[in-house]
Amino acid sequence: MAGNTPLIRIRSLSQALGVDILGKAEFLNPGGSVKDRVAMKMIDDAESANLLKPGTNSRIFEGTVGSTGISIATLAAARGYRTTIIMPDDIAAEKVLTLRALGADIEQVRPASIVDKKQFVNLAKIRAQDFGRNSRATTSVVVSTNQGTDTPALHEHVEPRGFFADQFENMSNFMAHYEGTGPEIWQQTNQSLNAFVSGAGRYQTN
């Protein structure tokens, strides 16, 4: 289960600055990064909304440069879902090998602008739609992470479906930290925190 990682006092920095500097050990999550929280929240929320259901051979699709994909592949496998990751072809080979070791199917594409239909995130959505159609689902073939009223939920008996995780627009990404990481840090510091510093990847998803 992701989360509840410890805060570790960084002694060298704390001594040098005269204040306690704490680091959140997110590398202790099952998939090795903070993105496990996001992946778990997206899957949990999709299941709660009946957009995903274990045991239906449904597949989760995502466009990612690596870390989120690794987290999704790790948790999806534990929940009984298959995973397809669409990513640029200039990503480090180690990430690709890790994803394949986790059982994910990988499609690598040339880097492209977000307005291009062949951009990796846009392709993930298209692949999810195509999977639903090809699986001859008896319910709707498009699963939206916006979870609006126009998105039919899964019924009791369904065919496999494609779910586009959509980390960049999915509110579950934000809520994973608003409901989880933030309160967790506040509790671990006994409600005594003067400053918070966080790094972000090139797509600003941390």
Side-chain angles (χ1 to χ4, degrees), residues 1-6 24-26 29-31 33-44 71 75 172-173 175-177 179-185 188:
M1 182 178 179
N4 293 312
T5 56
K24 196 83 165 86
E26 290 298 283
N29 282 310
S33 82
V34 66
K35 298 299 182 67
D36 284 9
R37 296 174 182 268
V38 172
M40 185 171 70
K41 182 64 171 170
M42 290 192 296
I43 295 173
D44 283 347
S71 294
L75 297 173
S172 299
N173 190 338
M175 295 305 293
H177 302 300
E179 296 179 348
T181 317
E184 190 177 303
I185 292 173
Q188 289 176 321

Side-chain angles (χ1 to χ4, degrees), residues 152-172:
L154 289 171
H155 298 301
E156 185 175 356
H157 301 289
V158 297
E159 298 291 332
R161 299 185 64 190
F163 177 79
F164 174 43
D166 196 13
Q167 62 171 310
F168 300 107
E169 301 293 337
N170 194 332
M171 280 298 293
S172 299

Side-chain angles (χ1 to χ4, degrees), residues 39 43 68-78 81 83 85 98-99 102-104:
I43 295 173
T68 304
I70 290 171
S71 294
I72 290 174
T74 300
L75 297 173
Y81 302 113
T83 308
I85 301 298
T98 299
L99 284 163
L102 291 168

Side-chain angles (χ1 to χ4, degrees), residues 73-89:
T74 300
L75 297 173
R79 297 286 183 91
Y81 302 113
R82 298 153 69 193
T83 308
T84 293
I85 301 298
I86 317 294
M87 61 196 317
D89 61 8

Side-chain angles (χ1 to χ4, degrees), residues 8-173:
I8 299 175
R9 185 176 183 270
I10 304 174
R11 185 169 58 181
S12 59
L13 289 176
S14 298
Q15 291 176 347
L17 297 173
V19 296
D20 286 332
I21 305 295
L22 307 174
K24 196 83 165 86
E26 290 298 283
F27 62 89
L28 294 178
N29 282 310
S33 82
V34 66
K35 298 299 182 67
D36 284 9
R37 296 174 182 268
V38 172
M40 185 171 70
K41 182 64 171 170
M42 290 192 296
I43 295 173
D44 283 347
D45 288 351
E47 290 181 345
S48 294
N50 289 323
L51 298 173
L52 275 175
K53 185 176 181 180
T56 59
N57 288 321
S58 293
R59 182 179 288 269
I60 299 173
F61 293 79
E62 182 61 327
T64 171
V65 296
S67 297
T68 304
I70 290 171
S71 294
I72 290 174
T74 300
L75 297 173
R79 297 286 183 91
Y81 302 113
R82 298 153 69 193
T83 308
T84 293
I85 301 298
I86 317 294
M87 61 196 317
D89 61 8
D90 58 353
I91 296 301
E94 291 81 2
K95 287 188 176 182
V96 177
L97 291 173
T98 299
L99 284 163
R100 286 179 174 153
L102 291 168
D105 291 323
I106 309 297
E107 180 180 347
Q108 292 188 269
V109 298
R110 293 297 302 161
S113 167
I114 189 63
V115 299
D116 191 326
K117 289 184 178 180
K118 294 183 179 180
Q119 194 264 358
F120 66 97
V121 175
N122 297 331
L123 276 176
K125 182 176 182 179
I126 292 170
R127 297 291 186 264
Q129 293 170 331
D130 290 344
F131 178 84
R133 294 190 184 99
N134 293 336
S135 68
R136 295 177 296 179
T138 56
T139 60
S140 77
V141 297
V142 180
V143 176
S144 169
T145 56
N146 292 330
Q147 301 181 10
T149 57
D150 59 340
T151 303
L154 289 171
H155 298 301
E156 185 175 356
H157 301 289
V158 297
E159 298 291 332
R161 299 185 64 190
F163 177 79
F164 174 43
D166 196 13
Q167 62 171 310
F168 300 107
E169 301 293 337
N170 194 332
M171 280 298 293
S172 299
N173 190 338

